[in-house]
Every structure is written in C-alpha cells, then in structure tokens.
C-alpha cells in the first residue's frame, strides 16, 4: 500500500554521524498500530521538541502489526532522517511487547514513551524530563487530568485508576497514561508481558525506584480510532491481581498459600471440635452436613498449605541472588 498523497515525507535532514554503539541521551518510543494519519506530523513535532533540548536523540516507531500505510511512512521518515527508526513486529503482539521491543532496540539513557495518535502533546516532553531530573526521580508518569475522550472511555478508566491506586498503594492518578519518561535502568530491570505495561509504575515502585507524576495536556483523537474499550476494565483488574501477586509473593509463596491454608484448617478444626463435643454428650452426627464441611475445610487447608510449600521449594531451586534486589549506586 502506498502512502496517502496528502502525507508527503519531509525533506532530508543532515545529521552528524553517531557511532552505532554510542549511547544517546534520549530515546522516544512510539508504539503504533494503523496510525498513518498522524505519523508524519508526530515525527515532525517530536524532532522540533528534541532539537530544542539540545541533546542527542532517536525516535523509535514500533509497529505492532499495522495494515495501513504506517510502515511506508516511517520508512520515508527514516530515509530523510536516520534518527527516526522503525522496529516492525511480525503481527499484533500488544503494547507491552511493542514497548519491550522498543527498549531492546533503543540506546537512550532516558526513555520517553508516547502514543502515536497525537492525543499526547510532544511539547510536554521537556517538562517531564525536567521533573525527572530536578527531583531525582526514576520514572515520571503523565496525568491526563482533563481527558478529551468520550464518556465510554473516561468512566472505565476512572474506575480502573481508583481501584488500582487503592490496591497497589501507589499514589498515581492515571495508570493508563502511556506518556512517561524513564531512566533506562527502570525498563531494563522490569519484565513486562501481556498487558502489564499499565502497571510499570507499580512494578517499579516495588523495586524501590522513585515515582512521580505530572499533569499533561490531552487532545482529542483526530485520526484513526481507539483500540480499547470496556474490556480493558476487567482485563486490567485481572492483570492487577497478577501484579500484586508477583510483587508480594513471588519470593514468599507460603505467605499467601500458607495463610489461606491455615485459616481453612483452623475453621475445619473448630467445626470438628464442636461436633466432637456434641458426640461426647450423646448427639448423633450422621445427619449433620456440618461434619462434611469441617472435614472438607481441613483437607482443603492441607492441600493449599502443601501448594505453598511446593512454591517455596521451586523458589529456592530457581532463586537468583541478583533478582532479589536493585542497586542504585555503588562506590568502590
């Protein structure tokens, strides 16, 4: 498919040669899916903002299975300016996979993530970086305080953010916002898969990284259509349960399974003790369903407790010391 005639590629830009292995100061990762209407404008605005920073940079578009002219447009942009790069996935793997691929193929010590639909303003990038550096933070997340989305997107997002903030105990207002700036070590030490990209601040916080938030402007979508709906809510809640489990109990599974198992054993023991007292005083137990419940609870409790012990054994055998901590600085 050829690029739309109205979206002409920019003129070639002369760029000083940078050795391939050299580190850059800023990498901007842009996961895209069928965003042909916004690619050229977004790249131009990003270049203008990043030139104003006076730092070395690259713009990495990660195509997550687009079927329109997005890929051809990025190729044209790359030919005009080699600092614009393309990582093309073979199919639609999801945003978490796209971000992981972008991190792996980027070199900036600071990593900015921004959606490709022009709803996030590239002009906000200097403010995010300034907050990150001035307050010595490791991650700054954008907060779309005034969202320019339809009610069908705002309501589930608001509910999702409230539940996540309550359960995860991370003081952010907008976990869904993809507009963030990171120090590279955050993304290198955190593994994300499925749809866990929304919970990078939670995972980073559990690792001891310092998290901040900054209100950012938000625009209405002018091109294409949203890729999300109400299903994001229940999927997000299931992913939240996953995050809470892997951040709290991955290294201590018996604390979770053991607690549930001991509670069931205690309840079953109390029921059976009560029934034993009744039997001692001559009451028949054959017609009491409570007896079955007491036995069932004790059996279930021992099974759950055993699951926790097996989890501890697996954790012990697969334990890697470097995964149990995160180092910020050393002086030797």
């Amino acid at each position: 498919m050829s690029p739309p005639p109205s979206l002409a590629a920019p003129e070639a830009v002369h760029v000083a040669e940078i050795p391939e292995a050299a580190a850059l100061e800023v990498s901007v990762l842009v996961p895209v899916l069928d965003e042909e209407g916004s690619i050229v404008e977004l790249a131009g605005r990003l270049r203008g903002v990043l030139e104003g920073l006076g730092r070395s940079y690259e713009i990495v578009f990660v195509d997550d299975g687009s079927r329109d002219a997005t890929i051809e447009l990025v190729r044209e942009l790359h030919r005009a300016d080699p600092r614009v790069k393309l990582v093309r996935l073979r199919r639609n793997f999801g945003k978490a996979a796209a971000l992981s691929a972008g991190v792996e193929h980027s070199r900036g010590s600071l990593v900015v993530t921004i959606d490709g639909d022009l709803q996030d303003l590239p002009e906000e990038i200097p403010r995010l970086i300034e907050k990150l550096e001035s307050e010595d933070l490791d991650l700054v997340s954008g907060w779309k305080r005034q969202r320019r989305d339809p009610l069908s997107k705002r309501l589930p997002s608001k509910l999702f953010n409230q539940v996540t903030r309550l359960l995860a105990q991370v003081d952010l207002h907008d976990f869904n916002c993809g507009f963030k700036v990171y120090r590279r070590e955050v993304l290198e030490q955190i593994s994300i898969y499925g749809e866990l990209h929304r919970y990078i601040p939670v995972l980073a916080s559990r690792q001891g990284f310092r998290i901040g938030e900054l209100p950012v402007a938000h625009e209405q979508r002018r091109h294409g259509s949203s890729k999300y709906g109400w299903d994001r809510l229940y999927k997000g809640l299931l992913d939240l349960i996953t995050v809470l489990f892997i951040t709290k109990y991955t290294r201590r599974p018996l604390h979770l399974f053991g607690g549930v198992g001991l509670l069931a054993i205690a309840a079953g023991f109390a029921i059976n003790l009560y029934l034993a007292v009744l039997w001692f005083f001559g009451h028949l137990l054959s017609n009491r369903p409570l007896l079955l419940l007491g036995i069932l609870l004790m059996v279930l409790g021992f099974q759950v407790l055993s699951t926790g012990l097996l989890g501890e054994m697996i954790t012990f055998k697969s334990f890697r010391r470097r995964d149990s901590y995160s180092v910020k600085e050393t002086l030797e």
Side-chain angles (χ1 to χ4, degrees):
M1 182 186 298
S2 59
S6 59
L7 300 175
E11 296 181 359
V13 177
H14 175 72
V15 181
E17 289 295 327
I18 299 176
E20 186 63 28
L24 297 172
E25 292 177 272
V26 181
S27 292
V28 180
L29 306 185
V30 190
V32 290
L33 174 62
D34 297 332
E35 299 288 0
E36 64 179 7
S38 58
I39 287 292
V40 174
E41 180 183 346
L42 176 59
R45 290 170 63 179
L46 283 172
R47 276 178 28 206
V49 169
L50 296 170
E51 291 287 354
L53 289 175
R55 307 188 187 196
S56 58
Y57 70 88
E58 63 183 351
I59 303 170
V60 182
F61 287 96
V62 184
D63 182 80
D64 192 22
S66 293
R67 297 186 178 183
D68 60 2
T70 297
I71 299 167
E72 286 76 10
L73 288 171
V74 177
R75 286 174 177 156
E76 290 294 326
L77 290 165
H78 173 72
R79 282 191 284 268
D81 184 350
R83 292 172 298 186
V84 178
K85 301 177 180 180
L86 169 66
V87 177
R88 183 183 181 186
L89 305 186
R90 294 187 181 277
R91 62 172 178 82
N92 179 243
F93 286 91
K95 193 171 183 178
L99 290 174
S100 295
V103 171
E104 185 176 347
H105 291 83
S106 64
R107 294 179 288 143
S109 57
L110 296 181
V111 179
V112 178
T113 59
I114 184 172
D115 291 339
D117 54 14
L118 285 176
Q119 289 193 267
D120 298 323
L121 276 60
E123 291 75 19
E124 299 277 17
I125 290 177
R127 294 179 57 235
L128 290 170
I129 294 178
E130 194 278 332
K131 182 175 178 68
L132 180 92
E133 295 179 334
S134 65
E135 299 183 17
D136 192 27
L137 301 173
D138 299 300
L139 185 163
V140 175
S141 180
W143 173 17
K144 296 176 285 191
R145 182 181 288 175
Q146 299 293 331
R147 293 194 60 168
R148 308 297 181 185
D149 286 323
L151 191 63
S152 60
K153 286 189 66 176
R154 296 200 308 270
L155 283 180
S157 180
K158 185 175 182 179
L159 177 59
F160 168 81
N161 285 317
Q162 289 177 344
V163 172
T164 302
R165 184 165 63 250
L166 176 65
L167 296 181
Q169 296 296 299
V170 175
D171 191 21
L172 292 182
H173 295 84
D174 193 352
F175 291 88
N176 279 325
C177 184
F179 198 10
K180 295 179 173 69
V181 59
Y182 309 81
R183 297 190 191 275
R184 172 165 288 275
E185 53 264 31
V186 175
L187 295 173
E188 288 181 341
Q189 293 189 31
I190 291 176
S191 300
I192 55 174
Y193 62 93
E195 297 187 18
L196 297 187
H197 56 277
R198 304 186 188 95
Y199 299 105
I200 292 178
V202 179
L203 296 169
S205 176
R206 294 290 191 270
Q207 284 286 83
F209 291 109
R210 300 186 62 195
I211 312 298
E213 188 175 48
L214 185 70
V216 293
H218 189 243
E219 297 293 332
Q220 290 184 341
R221 174 181 276 271
R222 291 184 287 154
H223 306 283
S225 59
S226 174
K227 309 327 187 269
Y228 301 101
W230 278 91
D231 61 337
R232 171 192 280 194
L233 181 60
Y234 79 86
K235 290 180 180 178
L237 292 176
L238 293 176
D239 287 333
L240 176 59
I241 295 173
T242 299
V243 168
L244 294 177
F245 178 79
I246 64 178
T247 55
K248 288 187 176 182
Y249 301 109
T250 298
R251 295 298 176 194
R252 44 181 184 173
L254 189 59
H255 287 201
L256 174 64
F257 292 104
V260 175
L262 289 176
L263 184 63
I265 291 172
F269 179 79
I271 291 173
N272 291 334
L273 180 61
Y274 165 72
L275 294 175
V277 172
L278 293 181
W279 174 80
F280 182 79
F281 286 102
H283 293 272
L284 293 177
L285 303 181
S286 58
N287 61 343
R288 289 181 178 267
L290 197 59
L291 176 62
L292 296 177
L293 176 61
I295 296 173
L296 177 62
L297 284 174
M298 293 193 69
V299 171
L300 179 64
F302 281 114
Q303 288 181 331
V304 174
L305 188 62
S306 299
T307 301
L309 290 171
L310 288 173
E312 290 286 345
M313 294 173 62
I314 294 171
T315 299
F316 175 77
K317 296 296 291 184
S318 62
F319 176 72
R320 295 184 300 176
R321 188 180 301 274
R322 65 180 179 272
D323 290 339
S324 63
Y325 56 82
S326 176
V327 175
K328 179 178 178 66
E329 181 180 3
T330 60
L331 292 175
E332 300 178 351

